[in-house]
Amino acid sequence: MKYDIFSSSTVGYKNKLKNKGSQDYLIYKKLENGVICAIGDGHGIRRCKYSYKGSEFACNACIDILTDLYNKIKNLDEDNLETVIKELKENKSIEKSIQKKWREYVIDHFKAKIPNVYDIDYVLYGTTLIGVLVTNNIKLYLQIGDGNIVEYGNGFNLVEYTKESKLKGVLNSMYLDDAYTYIDLKIEKVNKSDVDSIVLFSDGFTNSFRTYKDLDDNLKYTINQYRKNVFTKYNLKKTYKKYLETLSTNNSKDDISIIFILQTTLK
């Protein structure tokens, strides 16, 4: 399957007032028959001094590990693919590998700042993470903390984050010692007609809408404008970042990052 990717981000109104940059990070990678996308949302509080790097490292770790997975499964037959999916659900190897890779990135960065350090303070890099891998035969969603993934196939489907907070009132984060246990991973086989589009976004976007219906209407309008014709697509690309700035200023006040994954070969 082939996909168009449309993404955008903006620095939140609160961070602009503090003369700070965005704590969000987004990245995507097109594959021969699919795509990988990731968004990290650094916590941005004083205790998390390098959370803007933490979000970047989380996204890069996600891309690294899901690329390895894609290369492993892309040529599998149906039976072997089902076996791999079952194993991944049971052994948490993806979740563990993402945490391990994230920590490797953090260690390299921290030691560059303080070369003779022995005790790494992962809290400094606190971040959430959402990721998607979709191919011609599987879809995989993963998440720790807030942010959202919405799937459009037969209507609006908000992918539910099912992990409870480790600490009451505290967001689950990549800095946790056992962060992999709080990464919610969903993976299953998929047919070409199952998924029309997927949208993933940080909570700065989610919190800009009063209801999920408002959110749904907004996403569907954007998808329609992208697909309608070359002129509406051009105008959308030209104006969408400014629109996100307005959303942040008038509503969430937070950084906003969003990625649209739009299938181009529906049958």
Side-chain angles (χ1 to χ4, degrees):
M1 288 186 283
K2 301 298 181 183
Y3 295 90
D4 276 348
I5 304 295
F6 172 53
S7 66
S8 190
S9 61
T10 189
V11 179
Y13 180 72
K14 290 185 296 185
N15 281 331
K16 287 181 179 178
L17 292 180
K18 299 174 186 176
N19 291 317
K20 292 176 62 176
S22 176
Q23 304 298 299
D24 284 5
Y25 190 84
L26 70 79
I27 189 172
Y28 63 85
K29 180 178 182 178
K30 287 191 173 183
L31 308 167
E32 183 179 359
N33 289 300
V35 66
I36 306 169
C37 299
I39 294 176
D41 181 359
H43 300 329
I45 59 176
R46 184 175 299 178
R47 181 69 178 88
C48 302
K49 181 179 180 180
Y50 300 124
S51 64
Y52 68 98
K53 296 300 294 184
S55 59
E56 176 186 344
F57 297 152
C59 289
N60 288 339
C62 184
I63 293 290
D64 291 345
I65 301 308
L66 294 187
T67 298
D68 290 344
L69 175 61
Y70 170 75
N71 289 331
K72 177 180 178 180
I73 67 172
K74 63 182 179 181
N75 295 318
L76 293 182
D77 59 30
E78 292 290 309
D79 290 340
N80 284 321
L81 180 61
E82 287 185 359
T83 299
V84 169
I85 289 174
K86 182 180 179 182
E87 290 174 350
L88 291 175
K89 289 179 178 179
E90 294 174 349
N91 63 24
K92 294 189 175 292
S93 61
I94 296 297
E95 299 96 311
K96 291 176 181 177
S97 296
I98 288 175
Q99 180 180 359
K100 181 175 183 292
K101 192 67 176 180
W102 179 77
R103 289 196 162 206
E104 290 173 358
Y105 280 124
V106 167
I107 290 168
D108 288 344
H109 182 266
F110 197 73
K111 286 187 174 180
K113 297 285 183 181
I114 311 174
N116 297 319
V117 69
Y118 295 98
D119 186 18
I120 306 297
D121 187 359
Y122 294 103
V123 177
L124 291 170
Y125 296 82
T127 184
T128 67
L129 173 67
I130 50 178
V132 171
L133 165 64
V134 59
T135 74
N136 58 359
N137 54 12
I138 72 155
K139 60 180 180 182
L140 179 154
Y141 303 139
L142 64 85
Q143 179 176 0
I144 181 170
D146 54 22
N148 287 110
I149 302 170
V150 169
E151 174 187 292
Y152 285 101
N154 297 316
F156 175 86
N157 176 29
L158 181 68
V159 179
E160 183 182 3
Y161 180 62
T162 61
K163 304 293 186 180
E164 295 184 1
S165 294
K166 181 174 183 178
L167 300 174
K168 187 174 182 180
V170 178
L171 196 65
N172 287 336
S173 172
M174 288 296 295
Y175 75 71
L176 295 172
D177 290 339
D178 53 352
Y180 75 92
T181 65
Y182 295 93
I183 296 176
D184 191 11
L185 182 116
K186 298 176 174 66
I187 180 171
E188 61 184 66
K189 290 170 58 178
V190 65
N191 295 316
K192 291 183 178 180
S193 59
D194 287 348
V195 180
D196 172 73
S197 52
I198 301 166
V199 194
L200 55 160
F201 40 90
S202 59
D203 70 320
F205 187 80
T206 311
N207 295 335
S208 294
F209 300 92
R210 296 182 62 185
T211 67
Y212 283 130
K213 183 181 185 307
D214 293 339
L215 175 65
D216 178 29
D217 289 344
N218 183 277
L219 293 176
K220 286 191 292 190
Y221 176 80
T222 303
I223 292 169
N224 178 262
Q225 291 300 295
Y226 188 91
R227 286 174 163 167
K228 190 173 182 180
N229 57 57
V230 294
F231 303 107
T232 58
K233 179 190 289 189
Y234 172 80
N235 187 61
L236 180 69
K237 289 182 174 181
K238 185 177 180 181
T239 62
Y240 197 68
K241 184 178 182 68
K242 185 65 177 178
Y243 169 69
L244 295 183
E245 291 176 0
T246 302
L247 270 186
S248 177
T249 300
N250 295 336
N251 298 299
S252 71
K253 316 297 183 187
D254 200 359
D255 301 330
I256 296 177
S257 295
I258 186 166
I259 305 175
F260 293 83
I261 306 170
L262 307 171
Q263 190 179 155
T264 60
T265 56
L266 289 175
K267 292 184 178 181

XYZ file of all heavy atoms in Angstrom, residues 100-173:
602
model
N 14.994 0.351 25.686
C 16.452 0.161 25.680
C 17.119 1.127 24.713
O 18.135 1.762 25.051
C 16.784 -1.281 25.307
C 18.276 -1.617 25.295
C 18.481 -3.101 25.024
C 19.954 -3.491 25.071
N 20.714 -2.900 23.951
N 16.563 1.257 23.511
C 17.157 2.148 22.512
C 17.057 3.602 22.959
O 18.004 4.381 22.775
C 16.450 1.955 21.167
C 17.165 2.612 20.002
C 18.489 1.933 19.729
C 19.178 2.499 18.513
N 20.468 1.846 18.244
N 15.922 3.990 23.534
C 15.761 5.353 24.041
C 16.822 5.660 25.088
O 17.444 6.726 25.065
C 14.358 5.535 24.627
C 14.120 6.908 25.184
C 13.864 8.045 24.473
C 14.100 7.287 26.568
N 13.692 9.113 25.329
C 13.832 8.676 26.613
C 14.283 6.594 27.766
C 13.742 9.379 27.823
C 14.189 7.287 28.961
C 13.924 8.658 28.987
N 17.041 4.732 25.992
C 18.039 4.937 27.043
C 19.449 5.040 26.467
O 20.281 5.798 26.979
C 17.950 3.823 28.086
C 16.690 3.925 28.936
C 16.733 3.104 30.197
N 15.719 3.572 31.139
C 15.784 3.433 32.445
N 16.832 2.838 32.988
N 14.841 3.898 33.228
N 19.734 4.307 25.407
C 21.044 4.423 24.766
C 21.240 5.821 24.200
O 22.318 6.425 24.355
C 21.175 3.374 23.654
C 21.286 1.948 24.168
C 21.239 0.917 23.060
O 21.078 1.313 21.870
O 21.350 -0.288 23.361
N 20.207 6.359 23.553
C 20.292 7.735 23.039
C 20.488 8.733 24.188
O 21.294 9.673 24.082
C 19.021 8.102 22.264
C 18.960 7.570 20.847
C 17.890 6.788 20.427
C 19.950 7.871 19.920
C 17.823 6.313 19.125
C 19.884 7.405 18.612
C 18.815 6.627 18.222
O 18.749 6.165 16.930
N 19.728 8.544 25.265
C 19.830 9.432 26.423
C 21.236 9.384 27.027
O 21.833 10.431 27.329
C 18.768 9.072 27.490
C 19.075 9.769 28.815
C 17.374 9.442 27.002
N 21.765 8.182 27.205
C 23.099 8.025 27.797
C 24.156 8.753 26.962
O 25.014 9.466 27.500
C 23.445 6.532 27.949
C 22.586 5.896 29.043
C 24.931 6.346 28.265
C 22.652 4.380 29.076
N 24.092 8.589 25.648
C 25.059 9.258 24.772
C 24.982 10.772 24.922
O 26.007 11.458 24.985
C 24.816 8.871 23.311
C 25.224 7.438 22.999
O 25.966 6.846 23.813
O 24.788 6.917 21.959
N 23.765 11.302 24.973
C 23.591 12.743 25.098
C 24.053 13.237 26.463
O 24.749 14.257 26.581
C 22.122 13.121 24.874
C 21.848 14.585 24.942
N 21.436 15.221 26.105
C 21.934 15.563 24.006
C 21.273 16.506 25.874
N 21.566 16.742 24.600
N 23.679 12.512 27.521
C 24.014 12.933 28.884
C 25.527 12.902 29.112
O 26.096 13.818 29.718
C 23.307 12.026 29.888
C 23.247 12.575 31.283
C 22.406 13.632 31.597
C 24.046 12.050 32.289
C 22.349 14.152 32.880
C 23.996 12.560 33.581
C 23.144 13.615 33.880
N 26.186 11.868 28.600
C 27.633 11.766 28.777
C 28.388 12.816 27.968
O 29.511 13.192 28.324
C 28.106 10.362 28.411
C 27.745 9.317 29.458
C 28.375 7.971 29.165
C 28.109 6.997 30.299
N 28.717 5.667 30.043
N 27.779 13.279 26.878
C 28.389 14.378 26.128
C 28.350 15.676 26.933
O 29.225 16.533 26.805
C 27.672 14.561 24.794
N 27.318 15.799 27.791
C 27.197 16.976 28.658
C 28.100 16.850 29.880
O 28.745 17.809 30.296
C 25.741 17.137 29.114
C 24.738 17.403 28.000
C 24.836 18.825 27.511
C 23.780 19.112 26.456
N 23.878 20.514 25.946
N 28.104 15.643 30.475
C 28.888 15.387 31.690
C 29.668 14.089 31.466
O 29.184 13.002 31.789
C 27.972 15.272 32.928
C 26.981 16.439 32.985
C 28.799 15.197 34.204
C 25.957 16.321 34.073
N 30.884 14.181 30.920
C 31.616 12.986 30.459
C 31.864 11.919 31.520
O 31.855 10.727 31.212
C 32.940 13.579 29.953
C 32.612 14.996 29.624
C 31.578 15.429 30.623
N 32.110 12.283 32.768
C 32.496 11.304 33.786
C 31.336 10.860 34.671
O 31.536 10.456 35.811
C 33.624 11.881 34.653
C 34.872 12.135 33.837
O 35.243 11.331 32.987
N 35.524 13.270 34.086
N 30.144 10.937 34.148
C 28.969 10.587 34.941
C 28.796 9.063 35.011
O 29.145 8.341 34.074
C 27.700 11.237 34.346
C 27.346 10.589 33.017
C 26.534 11.142 35.318
N 28.275 8.589 36.133
C 28.014 7.153 36.297
C 26.529 6.861 36.513
O 26.065 5.753 36.265
C 28.811 6.607 37.484
C 30.302 6.661 37.265
C 31.046 7.696 37.797
C 30.945 5.697 36.497
C 32.430 7.760 37.587
C 32.314 5.749 36.277
C 33.045 6.790 36.830
O 34.401 6.850 36.609
N 25.795 7.862 36.988
C 24.382 7.673 37.289
C 23.560 8.576 36.378
O 23.585 9.803 36.522
C 24.116 8.016 38.766
C 22.688 7.689 39.178
O 22.038 6.900 38.460
O 22.229 8.237 40.199
N 22.843 7.985 35.431
C 22.066 8.748 34.463
C 20.704 9.108 35.058
O 19.989 8.234 35.566
C 21.851 7.955 33.152
C 23.190 7.480 32.590
C 21.101 8.805 32.133
C 24.131 8.571 32.187
N 20.357 10.375 34.995
C 19.064 10.841 35.503
C 18.075 10.904 34.333
O 17.966 11.914 33.643
C 19.225 12.216 36.152
C 17.948 12.680 36.848
O 16.945 11.938 36.801
O 17.948 13.787 37.415
N 17.337 9.813 34.135
C 16.428 9.726 32.986
C 15.247 10.685 33.097
O 14.646 11.043 32.076
C 15.932 8.290 32.820
C 17.026 7.321 32.456
C 17.566 6.460 33.417
C 17.539 7.280 31.176
C 18.584 5.576 33.093
C 18.555 6.398 30.832
C 19.080 5.555 31.802
O 20.094 4.682 31.468
N 14.920 11.117 34.307
C 13.806 12.054 34.484
C 14.047 13.334 33.697
O 13.101 13.973 33.202
C 13.587 12.368 35.980
C 12.473 13.393 36.156
C 13.259 11.095 36.747
N 15.290 13.725 33.545
C 15.624 14.940 32.799
C 15.096 14.888 31.368
O 14.889 15.934 30.737
C 17.141 15.137 32.769
C 17.822 15.498 34.086
C 19.329 15.414 33.930
C 17.400 16.891 34.536
N 14.873 13.688 30.858
C 14.472 13.496 29.460
C 13.018 13.027 29.333
O 12.622 12.507 28.288
C 15.396 12.476 28.803
C 16.834 12.923 28.711
C 17.690 12.799 29.813
C 17.343 13.470 27.548
C 19.012 13.200 29.740
C 18.669 13.879 27.461
C 19.497 13.745 28.562
O 20.812 14.156 28.481
N 12.226 13.240 30.366
C 10.868 12.700 30.397
C 10.018 13.082 29.199
O 9.950 14.240 28.800
N 9.345 12.077 28.646
C 8.534 12.304 27.446
C 7.491 11.213 27.285
O 7.638 10.106 27.811
C 9.429 12.323 26.180
O 8.637 12.634 25.021
C 10.112 10.984 25.958
N 6.446 11.533 26.564
C 5.488 10.532 26.107
C 5.900 10.071 24.709
O 6.833 10.614 24.112
C 4.059 11.102 26.051
O 3.999 12.115 25.021
C 3.671 11.728 27.381
N 5.174 9.101 24.173
C 5.461 8.604 22.822
C 4.228 7.933 22.252
O 3.570 7.151 22.936
C 6.615 7.594 22.860
C 6.929 6.861 21.544
C 7.471 7.832 20.490
C 7.922 5.714 21.772
N 3.923 8.244 21.008
C 2.946 7.476 20.236
C 3.597 7.106 18.902
O 4.369 7.883 18.341
C 1.622 8.237 19.994
C 1.868 9.647 19.455
C 0.781 8.281 21.239
C 0.585 10.413 19.154
N 3.320 5.894 18.431
C 3.925 5.427 17.195
C 2.988 4.555 16.390
O 2.098 3.898 16.945
N 3.196 4.546 15.083
C 2.373 3.758 14.164
C 3.273 3.098 13.126
O 4.183 3.725 12.581
C 1.338 4.648 13.430
C 0.644 3.861 12.316
C 0.319 5.208 14.402
N 3.020 1.827 12.880
C 3.569 1.116 11.727
C 2.394 0.509 10.985
O 1.621 -0.263 11.563
C 4.532 0.007 12.163
C 4.900 -1.044 11.090
C 5.653 -0.405 9.925
C 5.722 -2.181 11.700
N 2.230 0.875 9.732
C 1.163 0.270 8.930
C 1.767 -0.171 7.600
O 2.539 0.551 6.971
C -0.017 1.247 8.716
C 0.413 2.526 8.030
C -1.152 0.579 7.948
N 1.455 -1.420 7.207
C 1.962 -1.991 5.966
C 0.803 -2.624 5.215
O -0.362 -2.483 5.604
C 3.037 -3.061 6.261
O 2.405 -4.248 6.760
C 4.061 -2.561 7.282
N 1.148 -3.386 4.166
C 0.080 -4.047 3.412
C -0.487 -5.260 4.128
O -1.455 -5.854 3.670
C 0.583 -4.447 2.017
C 1.786 -5.372 2.083
O 2.267 -5.716 3.160
N 2.279 -5.772 0.917
N 0.103 -5.627 5.295
C -0.451 -6.798 5.994
C -0.580 -6.650 7.513
O -1.163 -7.509 8.158
C 0.363 -8.059 5.677
C 1.846 -7.890 5.955
O 2.273 -6.937 6.583
N 2.630 -8.842 5.459
N -0.038 -5.582 8.106
C -0.235 -5.380 9.546
C -0.461 -3.897 9.867
O -0.102 -3.011 9.082
C 0.960 -5.874 10.397
C 2.167 -4.951 10.228
C 1.305 -7.309 10.122
C 3.111 -4.979 11.399
N -1.063 -3.680 11.038
C -1.067 -2.332 11.617
C -0.632 -2.476 13.070
O -1.022 -3.416 13.771
C -2.445 -1.678 11.524
C -3.564 -2.414 12.242
C -4.890 -1.672 12.080
C -6.023 -2.411 12.795
N -7.328 -1.739 12.626
N 0.217 -1.570 13.497
C 0.742 -1.573 14.857
C 0.620 -0.171 15.430
O 1.045 0.800 14.797
C 2.206 -2.024 14.860
C 2.948 -2.078 16.204
C 4.081 -3.106 16.133
C 3.508 -0.727 16.622
N 0.012 -0.079 16.609
C -0.087 1.188 17.328
C 0.579 1.016 18.687
O 0.374 -0.006 19.359
C -1.554 1.577 17.542
C -2.372 1.695 16.283
C -3.676 1.204 16.230
C -1.853 2.279 15.136
C -4.446 1.317 15.084
C -2.608 2.388 13.979
C -3.906 1.904 13.957
O -4.654 2.012 12.812
N 1.358 2.013 19.092
C 1.938 1.963 20.435
C 1.862 3.341 21.069
O 1.866 4.358 20.383
C 3.377 1.439 20.397
C 4.463 2.233 19.675
C 5.077 3.313 20.551
C 5.540 1.298 19.166
N 1.772 3.335 22.403
C 1.600 4.593 23.118
C 2.024 4.457 24.571
O 1.786 3.430 25.207
C 0.130 5.015 23.070
C -0.190 6.307 23.798
C -1.637 6.725 23.639
O -2.418 6.036 22.968
N -2.013 7.836 24.232
N 2.692 5.488 25.076
C 2.908 5.646 26.511
C 2.624 7.102 26.855
O 3.168 8.011 26.231
C 4.335 5.216 26.960
C 4.496 5.393 28.478
C 5.410 5.936 26.191
C 5.764 4.770 29.046
N 1.751 7.305 27.827
C 1.354 8.661 28.192
C 0.204 9.159 27.343
O -0.574 8.373 26.806
N 0.091 10.491 27.233
C -1.033 11.051 26.491
C -0.698 11.205 25.006
O 0.307 10.681 24.531
C -1.491 12.373 27.111
C -0.353 13.373 27.266
O 0.658 13.232 26.550
O -0.473 14.283 28.113
N -1.534 11.946 24.288
C -1.485 11.938 22.831
C -2.519 10.944 22.342
O -3.037 10.124 23.112
N -2.839 11.003 21.058
C -3.899 10.136 20.539
C -3.598 9.625 19.141
O -2.865 10.254 18.375
C -5.236 10.879 20.506
C -5.826 11.081 21.887
O -5.876 12.190 22.390
N -6.269 10.007 22.516
N -4.202 8.487 18.831
C -4.191 7.912 17.490
C -5.648 7.686 17.091
O -6.417 7.088 17.840
C -3.431 6.576 17.450
C -1.989 6.749 17.940
C -3.451 5.993 16.027
C -1.258 5.432 18.163
N -6.021 8.186 15.918
C -7.367 7.993 15.388
C -7.263 7.245 14.067
O -6.449 7.595 13.200
C -8.089 9.336 15.176
C -9.382 9.136 14.372
C -8.400 9.999 16.510
N -8.074 6.208 13.941
C -8.121 5.401 12.723
C -9.457 5.611 12.033
O -10.509 5.597 12.677
C -7.938 3.928 13.087
C -8.096 2.965 11.936
C -8.081 1.512 12.410
O -7.015 1.065 12.867
O -9.136 0.853 12.329
N -9.391 5.821 10.719
C -10.608 5.905 9.915
C -10.663 4.717 8.964
O -9.763 4.500 8.156
C -10.647 7.206 9.104
C -10.960 8.423 9.933
C -9.943 9.281 10.345
C -12.266 8.714 10.325
C -10.216 10.399 11.111
C -12.552 9.826 11.099
C -11.525 10.673 11.487
O -11.807 11.770 12.258
N -11.683 3.924 9.114
C -11.968 2.817 8.219
C -13.463 2.820 8.032
O -13.995 3.379 7.084
N -14.142 2.269 9.040
C -15.605 2.359 9.093
C -15.999 3.400 10.140
O -16.642 3.101 11.138
C -16.212 0.997 9.433
C -15.925 -0.038 8.367
O -16.042 0.258 7.182
N -15.542 -1.237 8.781
N -15.563 4.627 9.929
C -15.898 5.693 10.856
C -14.731 6.059 11.762
O -13.608 5.578 11.613
N -15.029 6.907 12.741
C -14.044 7.441 13.685
C -13.735 6.408 14.760
O -14.612 5.950 15.473
C -14.639 8.707 14.322
C -13.826 9.335 15.422
C -12.819 10.233 15.130
C -14.095 9.064 16.756
C -12.093 10.841 16.136
C -13.387 9.659 17.771
C -12.369 10.553 17.461
N -12.468 6.020 14.867
C -12.047 5.053 15.877
C -10.871 5.615 16.652
O -9.742 5.658 16.148
C -11.658 3.722 15.228
C -11.126 2.723 16.248
O -11.501 2.748 17.424
N -10.232 1.852 15.808
N -11.127 6.063 17.877
C -10.074 6.563 18.742
C -9.406 5.368 19.421
O -10.046 4.623 20.161
C -10.657 7.511 19.790
C -9.669 8.153 20.761
C -8.768 9.145 20.043
C -10.410 8.830 21.906
N -8.118 5.165 19.149
C -7.392 4.032 19.720
C -7.192 4.293 21.209
O -6.554 5.273 21.602
C -6.045 3.831 19.009
C -5.285 2.673 19.634
C -6.266 3.588 17.517
N -7.722 3.415 22.038
C -7.726 3.630 23.481
C -6.388 3.257 24.111
O -5.818 2.211 23.817
C -8.843 2.810 24.130
C -8.968 3.029 25.633
C -10.052 2.173 26.262
O -10.669 1.363 25.532
O -10.274 2.308 27.478
N -5.904 4.134 24.991
C -4.716 3.839 25.800
C -5.198 3.130 27.060
O -5.944 3.697 27.853
C -3.969 5.123 26.136
C -2.724 4.910 26.982
C -1.659 4.155 26.500
C -2.605 5.470 28.246
C -0.506 3.950 27.262
C -1.460 5.279 29.015
C -0.413 4.530 28.510
O 0.719 4.341 29.268
N -4.758 1.894 27.264
C -5.369 1.050 28.302
C -4.542 0.929 29.581
O -4.961 0.254 30.519
C -5.605 -0.373 27.752
O -4.338 -0.947 27.386
C -6.510 -0.336 26.531
N -3.374 1.560 29.626
C -2.512 1.421 30.801
C -2.873 2.449 31.873
O -3.006 3.638 31.589
C -1.042 1.600 30.415
C -0.552 0.659 29.332
C -0.514 -0.783 29.807
C 0.110 -1.686 28.750
N 0.164 -3.089 29.161
N -3.018 1.989 33.118
C -3.244 2.912 34.224
C -1.939 3.612 34.594
O -0.848 3.111 34.313
C -3.788 2.155 35.443
C -5.163 1.547 35.223
C -5.705 0.882 36.472
O -4.995 0.919 37.502
O -6.806 0.326 36.417
N -2.049 4.772 35.229
C -0.858 5.503 35.648
C -0.107 4.716 36.722
O -0.724 4.168 37.640
C -1.231 6.876 36.195
O -1.768 7.686 35.180
N 1.211 4.660 36.587
C 2.012 3.991 37.608
C 1.873 4.712 38.951
O 1.736 4.088 39.997
C 3.478 3.944 37.193
C 4.364 3.242 38.217
C 5.793 3.074 37.739
C 6.604 2.308 38.771
N 7.995 2.072 38.329
N 1.917 6.043 38.899
C 1.732 6.868 40.083
C 0.475 7.691 39.901
O 0.287 8.320 38.862
C 2.933 7.791 40.299
C 4.286 7.101 40.492
C 5.397 8.130 40.542
C 4.288 6.247 41.763
N -0.403 7.697 40.885
C -1.666 8.392 40.780
C -1.448 9.867 40.452
O -0.706 10.559 41.137
C -2.453 8.253 42.089
C -3.867 8.814 41.994
C -4.643 8.533 43.262
C -6.075 9.062 43.142
N -6.844 8.798 44.378
N -2.096 10.320 39.399
C -2.016 11.715 39.008
C -0.759 12.093 38.244
O -0.572 13.258 37.897
N 0.108 11.101 37.964
C 1.354 11.359 37.245
C 1.321 10.628 35.904
O 0.990 9.448 35.843
C 2.580 10.906 38.059
C 3.868 11.142 37.261
C 2.639 11.639 39.392
N 1.681 11.340 34.849
C 1.641 10.787 33.505
C 2.681 9.678 33.338
O 3.820 9.816 33.772
C 1.928 11.916 32.506
C 1.588 11.698 31.035
C 0.079 11.552 30.860
C 2.104 12.885 30.223
N 2.278 8.578 32.721
C 3.259 7.552 32.363
C 4.264 8.133 31.375
O 3.910 8.917 30.492
C 2.565 6.342 31.746
C 1.817 5.520 32.766
O 2.130 5.540 33.955
N 0.810 4.776 32.319
N 5.524 7.734 31.532
C 6.602 8.391 30.800
C 7.704 7.416 30.457
O 7.908 6.395 31.126
C 7.167 9.530 31.659
O 8.329 10.085 31.079
